Amino acid sequence: MPRRKGRVRHGAHAVVGLTPVVAGHVLALASPNAAASLSQAIVSSVDPGKLRNNQSAADSYERWCAVRRLRPWPCDEVLLAAWCVHLGSSLGVPTIQGYASSIKFFHPLMCATPWPCDDSVIVRQAFRHLKKVYGMAGKGAKYPICLATLRTILPLLPGWPAPALMSHDDRMFACASLIATCTFLRGGEFTTNPQSSRDVLVTRDVNVVTFNGCRNVTTAIPRPKDAWWCASVEARCFDSGEAGDFSPVRWLEYYRQHSVVVLEDSEAAFQTATGAALK
C-alpha cells in the first residue's frame, strides 16, 4: 500500500490518507477502516492550538533540513540535536524543549520508522550545552491554590460573606473558585478561550444534588481529556456542602439567586456582570 503523508495545516484535524506508521502496518490491509480511524486519532489527539504549535516546529525543522539538503524524515538523534543547538541562538531552552517534543509528535505522521531519540545521550548533551551557554529563565514559585488559600483571600472581598453586599463578579469568583477547588479541578473547565477546543461549562452542567443524605455540587465536565470517549463525566465536590461560609452549595445558590444576568441553561455557567463568559 502506498504511504501518504498525514500533514496537518492551520490546526485542522485532517489526515490525507493514512499516517506512514499505520500505513506500513498489517492493520492497513486487514482493516482499512480501523487504520483510517487510528490515523485520525493520532492527529486529533491534541487540541488545535497545540497542533498548530507542533506544525510550526515541524515546519522550522524541515526548513533547517532543506537549507542543508538533508532528508528530515526519519529524524535521528544527530539531526534533532543539531537543530536544537541551532535554535539556541534565537529561542529559550524551554521553548526548544517544546519544539523537540513537537518533532516527536510529528514523527509517526511523516515516516514509519520508530522514534529513535528517547534517552539519547547526544540530545541530552545538546541540551546540557544550551543550558550552560544560554541559561534557564528563572521561574517564580507557584502559589498553591487550595482551600486554605481561599479561606485566606475570599474574606478580603468587599461585603464578604453577605452575598447581597458583594458585587456580582465577586460572588461569581467565590462560587467558581470554591467549586473548582473542592472538585479537584484545575480551573480550565470553568473558563473559555477562543483558541481552545474545550467546551465551556453551561448552567445545566453545574447542579446541587443530594448524596448520602447531604447536599452537594456536581459538575458535568464535557468531553474530559482523560476520558475523551465520554460525552461528559460528573465530578462531585469533596465538601458536604452543608456548613460554613466556604460551602460550594451555598455559594452556587448565592451566585444564582443574586445574579444580575439571566443564567440560561444552555449558556455559560459563570458569567460576569456584563454577560461575558468567565475567562
Side-chain angles (χ1 to χ4, degrees), residues 93-274:
V93 176
T95 301
I96 299 173
Q97 292 172 331
Y99 270 40
S101 296
S102 295
I103 301 305
K104 181 177 181 179
F105 172 83
F106 257 92
H107 198 263
L109 304 183
M110 307 308 298
C111 64
T113 304
W115 175 248
C117 300
D118 284 341
D119 300 320
S120 166
V121 174
I122 294 177
V123 173
R124 287 205 304 269
Q125 289 173 333
F127 275 105
R128 190 178 299 117
H129 162 79
L130 292 171
K131 292 175 183 178
K132 182 178 180 180
V133 174
Y134 300 104
M136 293 283 286
K139 293 183 178 180
K142 292 185 177 180
Y143 193 81
I145 304 300
C146 58
L147 190 55
T149 301
L150 297 183
R151 288 180 180 274
T152 300
I153 65 175
L154 290 183
L156 301 178
L157 295 174
W160 175 276
L165 301 179
M166 298 171 63
S167 70
H168 171 88
D169 288 356
D170 284 348
R171 288 192 297 267
M172 178 198 65
F173 172 74
C175 175
S177 299
L178 285 167
I179 293 175
T181 301
C182 294
T183 315
F184 298 103
L185 298 174
R186 295 181 301 172
E189 296 85 357
F190 287 71
T191 58
T192 181
N193 187 313
Q195 295 183 343
S196 175
S197 63
R198 185 194 298 273
D199 293 335
V200 65
L201 284 178
V202 296
T203 300
R204 63 170 174 265
D205 292 330
V206 186
N207 297 284
V208 176
V209 300
T210 300
F211 184 78
N212 287 340
C214 296
R215 293 195 308 159
N216 211 322
V217 175
T218 61
T219 303
I221 308 300
R223 295 189 302 142
K225 291 183 177 180
D226 58 351
W228 52 267
W229 56 90
C230 298
S232 66
V233 171
E234 194 171 83
R236 187 174 67 248
C237 287
F238 69 81
D239 180 43
S240 67
E242 288 295 329
D245 290 334
F246 301 91
S247 161
V249 169
R250 286 190 180 185
W251 280 99
L252 179 59
E253 293 176 339
Y254 290 158
Y255 165 63
R256 289 177 172 174
Q257 290 170 2
H258 295 273
S259 177
V260 299
V261 297
V262 178
L263 302 173
E264 299 288 352
D265 283 350
S266 59
E267 295 182 353
F270 299 97
Q271 301 179 36
T272 66
T274 63

Side-chain angles (χ1 to χ4, degrees), residues 67-82:
V67 168
R68 292 155 182 81
R69 298 182 180 180
L70 295 170
R71 182 180 178 183
W73 312 105
C75 180
D76 60 43
E77 58 183 350
V78 173
L79 285 178
L80 183 65

